[in-house]
Amino acid sequence: MDYEKLYHSYYMQVYSYVMTIIKNPSCAEEITQNTFFKAMTAKKQFKGNSSELTWLCGIARHLAIDECRKNTKLSELDAAASTSTVDIEKVTEDKDTALRIHLILHELQEPYKEVFQLRVFGELPFSQIGVIFQKTENWARVTYHRARLKIQERMAENE
């Protein structure tokens, strides 16, 4: 197989195909180059079951998908790194606020206390909270809202 002829014949078509997937010219160019390199060095040579362009686009597609996966993992790592460098003062402030809420919650009357805890800490939907108290979902919503207001009022008093 004449790879130089293959390269000159299909480079722009493969590049255009990769651009539709990646939408980044420099990355698409690199993937296109890697496509032709992989075609030349592949263990599985072109068998003629499809057109040469289809074969090359298949290689390019797999390389583009691999690149997208790699970029997704890198962006996830970047996001994790940025969230892990949280301001110490903010963390301390949040812990102080959480302690104040727990102290207020400890003194809160029932059913406000339990409804708030089930919703916030138990992450239960209002419908399930209503079932626990043998009341309606709307009752659970109103009770939770009133509990929040009571906590906010007491926090404002303590400031």
Side-chain angles (χ1 to χ4, degrees), residues 39-151:
M40 288 187 292
T41 59
K43 292 179 184 175
K44 294 181 182 178
Q45 296 295 319
F46 178 67
K47 296 177 183 172
N49 296 338
S50 61
S51 72
E52 292 171 333
L53 180 61
T54 303
W55 176 61
L56 291 169
C57 286
I59 295 169
R61 181 176 171 271
H62 289 291
L63 290 172
I65 290 169
D66 289 345
E67 184 67 24
C68 289
R69 286 184 186 141
K70 183 175 83 175
N71 288 340
T72 301
K73 287 179 184 175
L74 288 174
S75 63
E76 286 172 4
L77 286 174
D78 288 345
S82 66
T83 57
S84 68
T85 58
V86 177
D87 187 12
I88 297 295
E89 290 177 20
K90 179 82 173 142
V91 170
T92 306
E93 207 174 278
D94 289 346
K95 286 184 179 182
D96 288 343
T97 304
L99 177 61
R100 288 176 51 209
I101 291 172
H102 282 290
L103 289 171
I104 293 168
L105 195 56
H106 181 70
E107 296 174 1
L108 203 60
Q109 296 174 355
E110 293 297 345
Y112 303 111
K113 177 180 179 178
E114 190 173 355
V115 168
F116 186 86
Q117 288 174 331
L118 289 171
R119 179 68 180 167
V120 174
F121 304 119
E123 298 179 357
L124 291 179
F126 291 115
S127 59
Q128 289 181 359
I129 294 171
V131 169
I132 291 170
F133 284 91
Q134 297 177 342
K135 306 274 185 176
T136 65
E137 179 179 337
N138 194 39
W139 175 88
R141 287 179 189 277
V142 170
T143 306
Y144 170 76
H145 178 70
R146 289 178 181 162
R148 279 187 46 216
L149 290 176
K150 288 178 184 287
I151 291 169

Side-chain angles (χ1 to χ4, degrees), residues 3-39 51-65:
Y3 290 105
E4 189 173 334
K5 181 181 174 199
L6 189 71
Y7 178 84
H8 290 295
S9 299
Y10 298 112
Y11 178 84
M12 281 310 294
Q13 289 171 301
V14 172
Y15 173 79
S16 298
Y17 173 70
V18 173
M19 271 297 289
T20 63
I21 300 170
I22 297 294
K23 298 183 181 21
N24 177 326
S26 62
C27 192
E29 189 173 330
E30 185 177 332
I31 290 171
T32 304
Q33 294 291 334
N34 288 340
T35 299
F36 286 96
F37 177 76
K38 195 159 191 151
S51 72
E52 292 171 333
L53 180 61
T54 303
W55 176 61
L56 291 169
C57 286
I59 295 169
R61 181 176 171 271
H62 289 291
L63 290 172
I65 290 169

